[in-house]
Amino acid sequence: MELSVFNDASKDQSLRILEEWKAKLEDSGIPVVIGGHESPYPRGVGYSKNQAIAQSSGSYLCFLDSDDVMMPQRVRLQLDAATRHPTSIIGCQVRREPPDSTERYTRWINQLAPEQLLTQVFTSHGPTVVMPTWFCSRTWFSHVGPFDEGGQGVPEDLLLFYNHLRKGGGVVRVDRSLVLYRYHPDAATHSVLETTIWTHRVRFLEERVLPHWAAFTIWNAGRQGRRLYRSLSAGARRKVVAFCDVDENKIRKGFYCYEDSKETPKPRVPILHFRAARPPFVICVKLDLTGGEFEANLRSLNLQEGRDFLHFS
């Protein structure tokens, strides 16, 4: 094992602490490589991760953010999975700290079924295995990387994850809680605007899924569904045959008119009850927020995720 750390202009005692640990670890036979730069300003998460990788020499890469903690068996269990899945990103389950900080998100991270690690890549949650749990071969990372170095405001983990999927990579989760994943309001992830992530998600949906569908229905005639419709390219919008919902007021209205369209006449998209609509669906209803009602409605249609519907919210 080798520990590679990159110090991105930290203002605290990180370097002193690292030097103390360097001596302890190297006495135990674990080489420690510490890098950094002279600038007083951070260069960003993507740049730092790329530098930490470049200065290291291991055949496998085990990522850990500076504010998280990993369990002793993590490397052994994820290395075993990575040798069996050489073109996959290997993740794991997490324990959140504080425990009640992001309950829905933590459930999603830990409870996705193996096939959902590929079908739920379009949701607002981001990568289906979270970046602080990533483990992969250096060879595969070199094929799909590096991280985007645009700095603050760039979702470098999401962009690399999408590129990984474009190149045919798999996603595997070790079903053990191997990382203590800390939540705090100053985390770098909060510097990325929701609108930035939304744009990347819409473009990826248009690239990966919509070319294979001749027509589709948006499930949710409310704000999120209409926002998705307006965000689509003109060609993709023409494939939307209907919105569907359970809200009688929306259904009674009968249609959604896209007033900002440059087309004449303005596009009018029917609003149907979900049982009257036809798949495939792009679902813009947030999971785990309706007391199980939405999930029960979806299950009642006996559809196959990935083929008949995708989650986008």
Side-chain angles (χ1 to χ4, degrees):
M1 283 178 64
E2 167 192 63
L3 178 63
S4 175
V5 185
F6 192 81
N7 183 21
D8 188 24
S10 63
K11 300 288 196 294
D12 54 17
Q13 299 300 307
S14 293
L15 206 53
R16 179 183 61 77
I17 295 167
L18 284 170
E19 292 294 350
E20 290 176 5
W21 275 98
K22 179 178 168 73
K24 293 177 185 177
L25 289 167
E26 291 189 338
D27 284 348
S28 302
I30 298 174
V32 177
V33 184
I34 301 173
H37 56 78
E38 300 301 319
S39 169
Y41 304 107
R43 294 185 180 174
V45 177
Y47 173 82
S48 301
K49 286 192 169 82
N50 288 336
Q51 292 299 309
I53 292 163
Q55 70 189 17
S56 69
S57 58
S59 300
Y60 289 87
L61 305 172
C62 177
F63 294 93
L64 185 70
D65 285 354
S66 60
D67 48 359
D68 299 326
V69 181
M70 72 184 200
M71 303 301 112
Q73 66 271 42
R74 179 188 174 192
V75 171
R76 174 174 57 84
L77 293 173
Q78 289 192 304
L79 175 61
D80 178 60
T83 55
R84 289 183 283 111
H85 304 278
T87 61
S88 290
I89 290 177
I90 313 299
C92 65
Q93 293 176 324
V94 302
R95 183 159 57 90
R96 200 63 153 145
E97 181 65 37
D100 58 352
S101 54
T102 57
E103 291 180 278
R104 285 180 58 248
Y105 180 44
T106 305
R107 276 197 298 274
W108 183 82
I109 293 169
N110 290 336
Q111 295 178 10
L112 286 175
E115 62 275 9
Q116 290 177 317
L117 296 174
L118 288 174
T119 59
Q120 293 210 9
V121 298
F122 305 99
T123 77
S124 59
H125 290 318
T128 47
V129 287
V130 292
M131 199 279 143
T133 73
W134 286 5
F135 190 110
C136 65
S137 76
R138 177 183 294 271
T139 301
W140 183 251
F141 179 85
S142 298
H143 181 59
V144 303
F147 287 102
D148 188 292
E149 296 187 1
Q152 191 173 33
V154 173
E156 78 292 327
D157 55 344
L158 182 67
L159 297 179
L160 189 129
F161 187 68
Y162 283 171
N163 208 39
H164 162 76
L165 296 173
R166 286 185 184 104
K167 297 198 174 183
V171 185
V172 173
R173 187 185 65 219
V174 174
D175 282 341
R176 297 276 294 277
S177 182
L178 303 177
V179 172
L180 179 68
Y181 184 25
R182 286 205 176 105
Y183 173 86
H184 57 91
D186 298 325
T189 186
H190 300 308
S191 72
V192 183
L193 294 175
E194 186 274 340
T195 50
T196 299
I197 294 174
W198 175 275
T199 300
H200 286 300
R201 290 167 54 215
V202 172
R203 296 289 85 85
F204 196 61
L205 178 73
E206 290 195 331
E207 173 193 330
R208 300 286 292 180
V209 176
L210 301 189
H212 306 290
W213 289 355
F216 66 97
T217 299
I218 295 176
W219 191 319
N220 186 352
R223 187 170 59 86
Q224 284 291 92
R226 297 194 305 268
R227 182 187 181 193
L228 173 61
Y229 177 83
R230 293 192 302 268
S231 301
L232 294 171
S233 65
R237 275 199 302 271
R238 283 192 284 272
K239 293 185 175 186
V240 178
V241 292
F243 290 92
C244 72
D245 213 293
V246 293
D247 186 322
E248 292 298 337
N249 291 328
K250 294 187 180 80
I251 296 165
R252 199 175 299 117
K253 183 181 177 184
F255 65 90
Y256 164 69
C257 181
Y258 181 30
E259 297 289 356
D260 293 335
S261 174
K262 302 291 192 290
E263 297 177 47
T264 305
K266 308 284 188 191
R268 288 158 63 103
V269 184
I271 300 175
L272 309 173
H273 189 275
F274 77 92
R275 292 200 183 280
R278 66 173 190 267
F281 298 101
V282 176
I283 296 176
C284 293
V285 179
K286 287 192 179 296
L287 297 170
D288 206 10
L289 279 180
T290 61
E293 181 185 353
F294 164 73
E295 288 81 0
N297 288 338
L298 182 59
R299 281 195 304 273
S300 74
L301 299 180
N302 294 315
L303 302 174
Q304 180 180 320
E305 187 168 356
R307 184 193 68 190
D308 302 319
F309 70 91
L310 287 168
H311 290 285
F312 190 78
S313 281

